[in-house]
Amino acid sequence: MSFNIRIDGTEVIFKSEPGQSVLDAAEKHGLELPYSCRKGICGNCKGRVLAGQLRTGTGGGSHESGINAADEHLFCRAQAASDLLIAPRSWQRIDPSARKVLTATVFRNQRAASDVSMLHLRFPAGMRVKFKAGQYLQVVLPDGNRRSFSMANAPHESDSVQLHIRHMPNGGFTASTVPKLKPGDALRLEVPYGDFFLREDSERPLLFVAGGTGFAPIKSIIDHVIRRNIQRPMTLFWGVRNPGGLYAQDVVSRWLRQRPSLRYEPVISDPVELSAWSGRRGLVHEQVLECFQSVKDFDVYTSGAPVMVQAVRTTLQDLRDLPPNQFFSDSFVTETQNTA
Ligand code: FES
C-alpha cells in the first residue's frame, strides 16, 4: 500500500511505495532531502515526523547519528506506515537536466600517498557535466553495485573529474581495482549527487575541517571560491594519521599563493617523531577547539569519516556556539559499510 508524505509548511506531497525509505521516495519524485551515507550512519538525513506512523523498526537512530528526540528519524531508514507530515532540515527540487549516466575514461592514475590514488577521468568528447562544488558521483560496478566518491575538481572543469580514493583494507574496488586502472580504461558513472556544496548566498567566513581523503570535496569548494573570487575568509584544518597523508601539499601551496589570507592547519594524529612533524598533533576537532573560542559567525564544512564528522558537529555546536544550520557535512562510509 502506498502513502502520501507532505513536507510541513508546503503543498509539496509525494508518494511512498512499500519498502521505500522517505529519502528514496522523495528522490523518486524529484525532491532532494539532505543525506550523505544512506546507511543510517552519518545522521545527515535526520528530520522530524510531525504526524503519522513509521514502519516498525525503521524509525529513530542512535545518539551517534544525531538522534536525540522521539520525533527525530533518519529518513534514509524511515519507511511510512501511514500518511506522514515531515519536517526535513531542508529540501530542494532536483534539476533533472543535471544528473547523467555516462562512461568516463581514465587518463591518469597517480599514487598520491601509500594508500591513496588520485584518479583523473575524462567524460566522453563534447560532454559537460553540471555539478556543484563539493558534490559526489557514483561509480557503477559491472555487478550493479555502486561506490560513491567526491569530486575534487571545481565545477568549471566540467569535461573531466578528479577522485581521491583511499584503498580500504579488503576493499574489492578501492584496494584491488583502483590501483590497477590505467589510461584508456572505462568506468560507468552517475553524476552528480549530494547536498554537500558551497552555500553561496552566505557571506560568513568559511571553516573547513577535512579528515584524510575528505579533503577532496573541500578542494573542489576552495578551488571554486578562488576561481569565482569569492572574498570570504577561509580556514582549513586537514587531519591525517601521519605526514604522508597530507597528499596534496602542492595544491595547498598554490592556494596560499593565490589567497595568502587562507589559514592552513594540518593536524597529525599518530605519534610521530618530533623530527618528522613539528606542527599540530591530536584529533582534528580538538585542534579546532583549541584555535577558536567561538564559531558562531562561521559556516563550517566538514568532510571525512562519520566519527570525525560527528565529533566536529557536536563539539562545535555544544562548546563553540555553532548554529546547527551553519554546519554542512559529508560523511563517507567504508567500502565494507557500503556493501552492507
Ligand atoms: S544516516 Fe541517513 S544519510 Fe547517513
Side-chain angles (χ1 to χ4, degrees), residues 264-286:
Y264 173 52
E265 301 284 0
V267 182
I268 302 298
S269 61
D270 276 357
V272 293
E273 303 274 317
L274 198 59
S275 56
W277 183 252
S278 57
R280 293 187 176 278
R281 290 167 181 263
L283 297 177
V284 68
H285 70 280
E286 293 169 352

Side-chain angles (χ1 to χ4, degrees), residues 23 34-45 65 74-76:
L23 185 65
Y35 69 93
S36 182
C37 71
R38 303 185 93 108
K39 299 284 171 189
I41 298 167
C42 71
N44 275 13
C45 62
S65 58
L74 299 176
F75 285 155
C76 71

Side-chain angles (χ1 to χ4, degrees), residues 54-119:
L54 295 179
R55 230 186 88 198
T56 310
T58 69
S62 64
H63 180 65
E64 288 69 40
S65 58
I67 298 299
N68 296 307
D71 66 350
E72 288 178 337
H73 303 277
L74 299 176
F75 285 155
C76 71
R77 292 290 196 203
Q79 295 177 20
S82 72
D83 288 350
L84 300 179
L85 177 65
I86 63 167
R89 289 189 294 118
S90 64
W91 65 276
Q92 62 176 342
R93 293 193 189 278
I94 296 168
D95 175 357
S97 68
R99 190 162 293 169
K100 290 191 161 75
V101 179
L102 54 94
T103 300
T105 310
V106 175
F107 73 90
R108 199 180 315 140
N109 187 5
Q110 296 169 286
R111 183 62 70 96
S114 61
D115 61 349
V116 176
S117 290
M118 214 180 263
L119 194 59

Side-chain angles (χ1 to χ4, degrees), residues 60-298:
S62 64
H63 180 65
E64 288 69 40
S65 58
I67 298 299
N68 296 307
D71 66 350
E72 288 178 337
H73 303 277
L74 299 176
F75 285 155
C76 71
R77 292 290 196 203
Q79 295 177 20
S82 72
D83 288 350
L84 300 179
L85 177 65
I86 63 167
R89 289 189 294 118
S90 64
W91 65 276
Q92 62 176 342
R93 293 193 189 278
I94 296 168
D95 175 357
S97 68
R99 190 162 293 169
K100 290 191 161 75
V101 179
L102 54 94
T103 300
T105 310
V106 175
F107 73 90
R108 199 180 315 140
N109 187 5
Q110 296 169 286
R111 183 62 70 96
S114 61
D115 61 349
V116 176
S117 290
M118 214 180 263
L119 194 59
H120 302 255
L121 304 171
R122 201 159 266 157
F123 300 141
M127 180 181 278
R128 305 243 156 208
V129 172
K130 223 160 70 171
F131 64 95
K132 295 177 184 165
Q135 284 191 300
Y136 71 89
L137 56 69
Q138 292 191 338
V139 176
V140 186
L141 302 180
D143 63 3
N145 277 317
R146 289 167 176 247
R147 298 290 179 271
S148 300
F149 301 101
S150 297
M151 292 171 275
N153 49 311
H156 67 273
E157 296 166 11
S158 58
D159 61 347
S160 61
V161 73
Q162 181 188 122
L163 310 177
H164 299 175
I165 302 179
R166 176 152 175 255
H167 311 154
M168 305 306 297
N170 306 318
F173 178 69
T174 62
S176 304
T177 305
V178 169
K180 293 188 202 131
L181 288 172
K182 52 185 192 319
D185 286 348
L187 283 179
R188 194 99 182 119
L189 309 178
E190 186 160 1
V191 59
Y193 281 91
D195 77 333
F196 184 72
F197 56 83
L198 181 69
R199 273 46 176 192
E200 296 190 41
D201 52 356
S202 166
E203 294 186 349
R204 282 184 282 270
L206 292 158
L207 172 57
F208 300 106
V209 187
T213 50
F215 177 79
I218 287 174
K219 174 187 174 294
S220 172
I221 293 176
I222 295 180
D223 275 346
H224 180 68
V225 166
I226 291 174
R227 163 87 182 190
R228 296 282 310 271
N229 200 22
I230 297 169
Q231 293 297 324
R232 295 166 69 181
M234 296 192 286
T235 302
L236 167 63
F237 283 79
W238 188 5
V240 293
R241 293 209 179 107
N242 53 60
L246 300 165
Y247 58 81
Q249 287 308 298
D250 55 333
V251 172
V252 177
S253 301
R254 168 171 60 79
W255 288 339
L256 290 168
R257 283 195 306 277
Q258 293 171 317
R259 186 66 66 90
S261 60
L262 169 71
R263 178 176 174 186
Y264 173 52
E265 301 284 0
V267 182
I268 302 298
S269 61
D270 276 357
V272 293
E273 303 274 317
L274 198 59
S275 56
W277 183 252
S278 57
R280 293 187 176 278
R281 290 167 181 263
L283 297 177
V284 68
H285 70 280
E286 293 169 352
Q287 292 301 309
V288 178
L289 284 186
E290 198 171 298
C291 292
F292 290 93
Q293 286 314 303
S294 170
V295 292
K296 83 171 170 9
D297 296 323
F298 284 74

